[in-house]
Amino acid sequence: MENDTSPFYFTLTLFKDLGLYRYLYFIICFLLYALMLSLNIMIIVIVLLERTLHEPMYVFISCLSINSLYGSTGLFPRLMVDLLSDMHLISRPACFTQIYVVYTYASYELIILGIMAYDRYVAICKPLHYNSIMNSKTVVLLVGLGWAYPICSIGSLLYLSVRLPLCGNEIARVFCVNWPVVQLSCVDTTQNNAAGLLVTITTVFLPLGFVLYTYFRIIVVCQKSSTEYRGKALKTCLPHIVTCVIYSIALFCEVSLSRYKHNELNPVVTVILSLEFLIIPPILNPLVYGLNLPQIRGMILRLLQTPRIVACMLR
């Protein structure tokens, strides 16, 4: 049901009373965004250029980096503009577009982590069949379906939110989030709540449950194997485990905010908790994989040494 009286602009209230600190926050956000771009583009370029890295695991790592660029770009440019602006208004279409980008980023991150867990399971538990199972067609199918489901599910969820008539326009965040918008509704939101729960289960809990299941199977196999094999398996899985834990904690912080009213939390705490899943994973993921996987670490060192070699040759 649509209502022409619904506000065309939303006000992001957590930008109030920043004073001169807005310039400090802008510099911090600019540096964070630049770091995210640099680290993730570096991972993508390395995987793209180095033919020895054209394997499923590294393709999935580059998908994580692409998703990080996608999610951070959906947040930071608009966030930096708002920090320098005196009026923190965002149009209705821009708000729902930002919700769509942020939510598809969050959903795909978990799905790709689930796909990576399956890749590790096949590599460790079925090593002789790895090449036949994780062939190029399977990789393309998994990546494609992983993108398709968030696009459809988040699109459906957002469609229900767009149709709601709203009786307010204040959102107690620094970026647009679906649940605070739904809370502004003038009508019953049972349908939206049910759809939100379904999407949360299928895009958050199912991938996390699948990750736990695959690692349970990996642990069972490793217990029956030699100490050397267990060590290799742990070394292979460690970056993925770290990534999953980091993202799960960051996402839990954002989800937990929906259980509190905006006036029950300190604004600074609200901002920190709401931004964690959009800041920490895009920065730490490239560092975790770049530092722990010798193939990527070796390529990074070669890239860093190239300017020195060229400089010496020019001398």
Side-chain angles (χ1 to χ4, degrees):
M1 171 177 167
E2 295 182 358
N3 190 335
D4 292 337
T5 62
S6 294
F8 186 75
Y9 287 94
F10 294 103
T11 302
L12 302 173
T13 61
L14 289 187
F15 284 106
K16 292 180 179 178
D17 303 323
L18 289 179
L20 295 177
Y21 287 109
R22 70 174 66 185
Y23 301 107
L24 174 62
Y25 297 146
F26 174 84
I27 293 172
I28 292 173
C29 288
F30 177 81
L31 293 176
L32 287 174
Y33 186 45
L35 182 62
M36 291 176 197
L37 292 178
S38 302
L39 292 175
N40 287 287
I41 289 175
M42 179 178 63
I43 294 294
I44 295 169
V45 170
I46 286 174
V47 173
L48 184 65
L49 296 181
E50 182 57 37
R51 299 191 66 179
T52 60
L53 300 182
H54 293 178
E55 299 178 7
M57 180 173 68
Y58 302 106
V59 171
F60 299 142
I61 291 172
S62 63
C63 286
L64 274 182
S65 290
I66 292 171
N67 192 48
S68 294
L69 294 176
Y70 170 71
S72 58
T73 302
L75 170 71
F76 277 93
R78 175 74 203 194
L79 179 62
M80 290 188 288
V81 169
D82 283 328
L83 284 171
L84 297 180
S85 176
D86 293 324
M87 298 184 65
H88 308 109
L89 300 177
I90 182 169
S91 68
R92 189 182 177 95
C95 183
F96 284 116
T97 300
Q98 188 176 61
I99 292 173
Y100 183 77
V101 172
V102 170
Y103 277 48
T104 49
Y105 152 79
S107 301
Y108 186 65
E109 189 84 357
L110 280 173
I111 290 174
I112 198 67
L113 288 174
I115 293 173
M116 292 174 74
Y118 175 70
D119 176 71
R120 292 300 84 204
Y121 162 74
V122 175
I124 293 171
C125 300
K126 301 179 180 181
L128 298 179
H129 303 285
Y130 180 80
N131 290 330
S132 60
I133 295 175
M134 297 302 295
N135 54 50
S136 58
K137 291 183 179 179
T138 302
V139 172
V140 171
L141 180 64
L142 290 174
V143 171
L145 291 177
W147 265 116
Y149 182 73
I151 289 172
C152 297
S153 60
I154 301 302
S156 301
L157 179 66
L158 208 58
Y159 172 73
L160 296 175
S161 300
V162 170
R163 295 174 66 245
L164 288 174
L166 305 178
C167 293
N169 72 331
E170 292 191 349
I171 301 176
R173 297 291 180 90
V174 292
F175 64 96
C176 287
V177 183
N178 186 61
W179 179 240
V181 173
V182 171
Q183 289 180 310
L184 297 174
S185 173
C186 307
V187 298
D188 180 68
T189 59
T190 301
Q191 189 178 16
N192 298 74
N193 297 341
L197 179 62
L198 178 62
V199 170
T200 301
I201 290 173
T202 55
T203 60
V204 177
F205 293 110
L206 282 183
L208 285 177
F210 182 73
V211 170
L212 293 175
Y213 170 74
T214 54
Y215 274 108
F216 171 76
R217 295 291 301 271
I218 289 172
I219 290 172
V220 170
V221 170
C222 288
Q223 285 180 337
K224 301 176 183 178
S225 305
S226 64
T227 304
E228 182 182 358
Y229 187 82
R230 287 198 296 268
K232 290 181 178 179
L234 177 61
K235 188 176 181 179
T236 302
C237 293
L238 185 60
H240 183 260
I241 293 172
V242 173
T243 302
C244 284
V245 171
I246 290 171
Y247 186 73
S248 298
I249 294 173
L251 189 63
F252 174 78
C253 292
E254 161 58 24
V255 173
S256 64
L257 283 177
S258 63
R259 296 186 174 273
Y260 297 92
K261 295 181 179 179
H262 65 86
N263 56 359
E264 294 178 348
L265 287 175
N266 184 288
V268 176
V269 174
T270 302
V271 171
I272 292 174
L273 293 180
S274 65
L275 291 178
E276 278 187 335
F277 79 108
L278 284 158
I279 294 178
I280 296 177
I283 291 177
L284 288 188
N285 287 354
L287 293 177
V288 167
Y289 288 107
L291 295 176
N292 283 280
L293 295 180
Q295 294 86 344
I296 294 180
R297 186 172 65 245
M299 281 297 300
I300 293 173
L301 292 175
R302 282 169 57 186
L303 287 175
L304 293 176
Q305 290 173 357
T306 300
R308 297 179 184 176
I309 296 173
V310 173
C312 292
M313 292 175 63
L314 292 175
R315 289 176 185 176

